Amino acid sequence: MTLLLVLLVAIALLALALWLRTRKALREQLRRSALSSARRLKFRLDRYKLVERDEIRQSLLTDPTVLAAIAAYAREHDTAEVSVRRRVNEYVDEIVPFFNVLSYYKLGYNLSRLLLNLLYKSSIEYRDQAALDRIPRRDVVVYLMNHRSNADYVVVAYVLAKVVSISYAVGEWARTWPLEYVFKSFGSYFIRRRYREPLYHTVLERYVQLITRNGVTQGIFPEGGLTRDGALRPPKIGLIDHMVRVLDDPTFDRDIWLVPVGINYDRVLEDRALIQERLVNARSLSKWEQFTGVCQYLLTNTWRLVTGRLRRYGRVAVSFGTPISVRGWLATQPTGVLRLAKADRLPQIQKLADYAMDRIAAVIPVTPVPLASAALLSFGANVVPRDRLLERMDEMRDHLAEFNAKLVRAELPIEEVWDRAWRMFTLRRLVVAEKDHLVILPAQRPLLEYYANSIRHLLPPTMTMPLTPATDHDPTLPRLATREEMEIRSGEYRASSGLGRAP
């Protein structure tokens, strides 16, 4: 009996060892296969992404700046350094990704290609390919993008997949299973956008500077979140400040290039949810109604996919602008600007962020739906003659072309551009036709505003003044709140809830 038991244990241990060895061999084979795909397709893979996560953790935990922040926090809060180190460990675990070549180049690339081709037709333009090609290979590249949809992560990663793997700065919204695992396996790092604790920001800053110093290609959304009204938001400067301060290190002899990227859609998947908090003169949906709406959307489109009746959502367009050399920009600034105290330095960094945001704004693509939405709303009326609408679209397109805007399908006659927008309007029941006139359905007007706002900055004031009916002759029309109104709302909310009051 004892001999039989020993034999069974030995067999079990042998089977376990064989399984572990086979599993390890299989993972290594898949990893080699993914790397082989990257080399075959000439993908650029930042070497530092292949560094073990534990090694990066150790670099952060032994960083002199982080150690000094731990000691300062312990003194300030009268806490043992051991407990502060545990907190820092949690921050490091939360921030640092674990890049997986297999996830990025096999799973991520193929899945994004499938989804994007299923939902959209893609348009990609490089406004200054020669300037992009001139960036030295050893320099650091950071892609700065406007943020219209959570699909932006997928769109830009797919577009750049044959050029480089990109590490995103991702907000806390994605820190749920399985999104957190997926984003981290793609090399993205997480940030808490509204968390003000200095200790956390020291850890985040040193991580961003660590990967920047080691040449990791990054992608950030300077607006700090999704646009709720379709228009560009003012840029945040925290991450940009962290990155560019690496240039103050005398041992860092590279340059950092900021590449402006403009993204636009004929349909943003979550557009109705995004505009909810800005609605005026319209009933906002409850959480339950939003949830049931999402479920209905998923079920309906799954059924359409199964039955072969799923239609694409028009165009998604991506445009890359001329890169900005940060060293070149610093040469135009006062000497030692990066060594200034934070209060003096940040206004200078704000100028860089504003300049980059202007460059992003200039390359926002103009797809059919935003163009048609802007033309419809420019009349300041709910009923628009079709022939006058086409004339207005043509006028807008001529103006945009004159200022070198990125017009998607600019070669098409204006009637065909309208037809492409009309398909989306009818599919979503935004506009109806009455003989030779088009009628904007009042409840859908805010959605048209959302799309028109995405290109409003590219149009002259004479064409955009009536876009929002905040001062319209009919103040009862549903619309999006202006940003001034939103600031008043936020102030009233803080006052009523006691936020921001002194203790």
Side-chain angles (χ1 to χ4, degrees):
M1 186 68 178
T2 304
L3 182 61
L4 179 61
L5 183 60
V6 170
L7 185 60
L8 288 174
V9 170
I11 292 173
L13 290 173
L14 182 62
L16 177 62
L18 183 62
W19 177 78
L20 290 173
R21 184 174 179 180
T22 304
R23 180 169 172 263
K24 183 178 179 181
L26 180 61
R27 287 177 65 182
E28 185 61 27
Q29 184 179 350
L30 290 172
R31 183 174 179 274
R32 285 203 201 103
S33 174
L35 284 170
S36 176
S37 297
R39 293 190 193 99
R40 186 179 69 254
L41 296 172
K42 298 181 180 179
F43 296 167
R44 176 181 167 182
L45 183 59
D46 300 321
R47 290 184 179 276
Y48 196 72
K49 286 185 177 178
L50 301 178
V51 173
E52 290 293 333
R53 189 169 186 245
D54 287 343
E55 185 176 331
I56 298 174
R57 280 174 49 83
Q58 193 61 26
S59 295
L60 289 173
L61 294 174
T62 57
D63 184 291
T65 304
V66 174
L67 293 175
I70 290 173
Y73 186 94
R75 284 194 305 272
E76 182 182 349
H77 294 84
D78 194 21
T79 307
E81 285 198 14
V82 174
S83 63
V84 182
R85 284 179 181 276
R86 281 198 294 267
R87 181 187 287 262
V88 169
N89 263 304
E90 292 173 4
Y91 292 155
V92 171
D93 285 338
E94 177 185 311
I95 294 169
V96 178
F98 45 88
F99 181 74
N100 187 300
V101 180
L102 179 63
S103 289
Y104 198 97
Y105 286 113
K106 286 291 187 179
L107 174 63
Y109 176 74
N110 291 314
L111 186 60
S112 61
R113 179 175 62 181
L114 173 66
L115 289 175
L116 287 179
N117 291 334
L118 186 67
L119 297 175
Y120 298 105
K121 291 181 180 178
S122 303
S123 295
I124 304 159
E125 183 186 48
Y126 296 89
R127 305 299 297 271
D128 196 347
Q129 183 68 62
L132 291 169
D133 290 341
R134 285 196 299 269
I135 297 177
R137 191 171 179 83
R138 67 188 299 273
D139 282 358
V140 182
V141 178
V142 180
Y143 292 91
L144 303 182
M145 301 155 280
N146 65 304
H147 204 6
R148 287 190 61 73
S149 169
N150 285 317
D152 296 342
Y153 296 97
V154 179
V155 171
V156 177
Y158 172 69
V159 168
L160 290 173
K162 293 186 178 180
V163 179
V164 68
S165 60
I166 186 169
S167 292
Y168 285 113
V170 183
E172 56 268 36
W173 66 270
R175 291 198 62 230
T176 55
W177 189 90
L179 289 178
E180 181 173 9
Y181 180 86
V182 170
F183 273 108
K184 283 192 171 183
S185 70
F186 290 170
S188 299
Y189 57 95
F190 285 84
I191 57 175
R192 301 184 186 183
R193 297 194 185 276
R194 293 180 178 85
Y195 194 63
R196 302 301 180 199
E197 187 190 72
L199 181 62
Y200 167 79
H201 281 279
T202 298
V203 177
L204 175 63
E205 176 183 350
R206 297 305 289 170
Y207 173 73
V208 171
Q209 291 175 345
L210 178 65
I211 61 174
T212 302
R213 191 176 292 108
N214 283 281
V216 173
T217 303
Q218 298 170 64
I220 66 174
F221 299 96
E223 296 166 282
L226 290 165
T227 174
R228 262 44 182 192
D229 59 4
L232 291 172
R233 301 170 66 180
K236 309 289 186 182
I237 60 174
L239 289 177
I240 295 176
D241 179 54
H242 297 342
M243 292 174 186
V244 301
R245 286 176 63 206
V246 171
L247 293 172
D248 195 40
D249 182 351
T251 64
F252 185 78
D253 60 352
R254 311 180 192 184
D255 197 358
I256 298 175
W257 296 83
L258 307 179
V259 180
V261 183
I263 311 170
N264 214 348
Y265 299 79
D266 275 334
R267 179 174 181 179
V268 172
L269 297 177
E270 63 270 52
D271 52 10
R272 292 190 189 276
L274 290 172
I275 67 173
Q276 278 298 305
E277 67 186 56
R278 285 192 172 268
L279 288 177
V280 176
N281 298 330
R283 187 178 70 85
S284 297
L285 298 178
S286 66
K287 295 285 186 182
W288 173 251
E289 287 173 316
Q290 292 181 47
F291 174 74
T292 55
V294 170
C295 292
Q296 183 181 4
Y297 168 82
L298 292 173
L299 290 172
T300 301
N301 283 282
T302 301
W303 176 249
R304 286 175 180 166
L305 177 62
V306 170
T307 57
R309 294 187 295 113
L310 181 65
R311 295 183 183 179
R312 283 175 170 168
Y313 295 151
R315 288 272 167 183
V316 56
V318 183
S319 181
F320 295 85
T322 302
I324 302 166
S325 163
V326 179
R327 283 197 185 275
W329 177 81
L330 283 173
T332 67
Q333 302 302 306
T335 304
V337 65
L338 297 182
R339 299 192 193 97
L340 294 173
K342 186 175 182 179
D344 298 320
R345 183 182 71 250
L346 291 185
Q348 303 302 318
I349 301 299
Q350 185 70 57
K351 292 178 184 177
L352 174 61
D354 291 340
Y355 176 55
M357 207 69 209
D358 289 342
R359 297 281 283 268
I360 294 171
V363 297
I364 297 287
V366 182
T367 58
V369 167
L371 179 62
S373 298
L376 275 168
L377 294 177
S378 68
F379 290 93
N382 287 332
V383 181
V384 180
R386 186 178 185 278
D387 56 347
R388 289 189 61 197
L389 171 68
L390 294 179
E391 289 175 8
R392 182 62 54 84
M393 287 179 66
D394 215 14
E395 291 171 11
M396 287 183 169
R397 192 165 69 160
D398 288 345
H399 171 85
L400 292 165
E402 182 181 348
F403 286 89
N404 198 31
K406 165 55 182 169
L407 287 158
V408 177
R409 303 307 302 270
E411 75 282 0
L412 294 177
I414 202 63
E415 290 83 0
E416 289 191 38
V417 176
W418 164 250
D419 285 343
R420 281 161 170 72
W422 176 244
R423 289 172 201 163
M424 293 304 303
F425 290 159
T426 54
L427 178 67
R428 310 197 66 191
R429 301 180 180 88
L430 305 182
V431 181
V432 296
E434 290 287 345
K435 297 183 179 179
D436 294 332
H437 289 72
L438 299 159
V439 181
I440 300 172
L441 298 179
Q444 307 304 329
R445 185 175 182 127
L447 209 53
L448 293 176
E449 283 187 73
Y450 171 82
Y451 285 98
N453 283 342
S454 69
I455 62 168
R456 181 171 185 156
H457 62 281
L458 298 171
L459 295 169
T462 53
M463 291 184 179
T464 60
M465 194 163 299
L467 273 187
T468 176
T471 57
D472 199 58
H473 63 279
D474 183 0
T476 64
L477 284 172
R479 62 179 177 84
L480 297 180
T482 63
R483 293 196 170 167
E484 291 77 11
E485 289 173 321
M486 289 303 296
E487 287 177 6
I488 294 171
R489 283 189 190 181
S490 299
E492 290 174 348
Y493 170 76
R494 285 194 294 268
S496 64
S497 62
L499 294 176
R501 294 177 186 169

